[in-house]
Amino acid sequence: MPSPAIRILAALLAVAACLALSACGSAKTTKTTTTTGPLQLGPAFPDIAKLPGALTTKPPWPANNDSNTLQLRLRKIGLPALNAEGQVVHIHQHLDLFANGEPVTVPAQIGIDAAGAYIAPLHTHDATGVLHVESPTVATFTLGQIFAVWGVRLDRTCIGGLCAGGGKQLRVWVNGKPLNADPTRIELAAHEEIVIAYGTPAQMPKSIPSSYAFGADL
């Protein structure tokens, strides 16, 4: 029979081997999680084109943040005009837009009053395509709501004045995966990468990003 010292040494070696295999499991069973988690879909937002100051034109689209019409849109969609960014929900996403094979800028200052008097919970600060969700209350927000704040039509077949038909289509990807649903239903989760492209099949992006390099402060 092995001595007590040998038995203790064997037990220690077994523990070390277990730790090397990630808690007694093989590398094949290790799970990787992301900040976004599974895609969630909320209700559709079908009436963006009917909101005050809504744009149903071809790109480029401005920030559309005139004080009067922006505040009217916020009232219509039930979002507050804040005097400072909310901190209860504070997450970010990235939006890439393409039209007829060309990138479209997501402008700075969406949802921020041009005169600087107020800010919506959904907004942009710069033209990188980073979306800011900064709410003073717990809530779930959708892509349809940020397009409503922006005042640019978005639905299952149209973005702005670009609508599917005549060999052209509107396609959407979330975290690199195609979405076969109304894009206004996409719930905004932390560090989502959303791509919307309009055009012929040949004009679709050749490479669909599945993530975005967010800054350390995002």
Side-chain angles (χ1 to χ4, degrees):
M1 176 179 295
S3 68
I6 291 176
R7 289 200 301 272
I8 291 171
L9 178 59
L12 290 173
L13 289 173
V15 170
C18 243
L19 292 174
L21 287 173
S22 302
C24 300
S26 70
K28 292 181 180 179
T29 62
T30 301
K31 295 182 179 179
T32 301
T33 59
T34 65
T35 56
T36 55
L39 175 64
Q40 301 293 325
L41 296 177
F45 200 120
D47 297 325
I48 296 174
K50 298 178 182 178
L51 294 173
L55 301 174
T56 57
T57 55
K58 296 180 180 179
W61 298 296
N64 202 16
N65 58 355
D66 170 79
S67 297
N68 292 331
T69 54
L70 174 57
Q71 193 159 70
L72 286 173
R73 285 200 302 276
L74 293 180
R75 289 175 184 169
K76 286 282 189 180
I77 62 181
L79 290 178
L82 306 171
N83 57 19
E85 295 172 334
Q87 295 298 320
V88 174
V89 177
H90 191 172
I91 57 176
H92 305 88
Q93 305 76 35
H94 186 259
L95 175 63
D96 278 308
L97 299 178
F98 297 90
N100 299 315
E102 298 295 329
V104 175
T105 299
V106 178
Q109 305 296 296
I110 292 170
I112 300 177
D113 169 36
Y118 61 87
I119 184 170
L122 311 177
H123 55 268
T124 65
H125 286 290
D126 54 32
T128 61
V130 173
L131 310 178
H132 294 250
V133 178
E134 294 166 352
S135 170
T137 58
V138 175
T140 299
F141 300 96
T142 64
L143 188 66
Q145 286 174 294
I146 198 160
F147 269 80
V149 171
W150 188 5
V152 173
R153 174 172 59 178
L154 179 67
D155 55 38
R156 182 74 181 253
T157 58
C158 296
I159 181 169
L162 306 175
C163 294
K168 297 195 174 183
Q169 54 193 243
L170 187 69
R171 297 191 61 189
V172 182
W173 296 262
V174 181
N175 300 328
K177 297 179 180 180
L179 175 70
N180 185 25
D182 187 328
T184 66
R185 297 181 59 199
I186 298 169
E187 291 188 357
L188 299 176
H191 290 180
E192 274 179 330
E193 166 60 27
I194 302 168
V195 179
I196 302 177
Y198 170 85
T200 65
Q203 291 173 326
M204 292 295 119
K206 299 299 183 287
S207 177
I208 306 298
S210 59
S211 61
Y212 177 76
F214 291 89
D217 58 336
L218 301 177

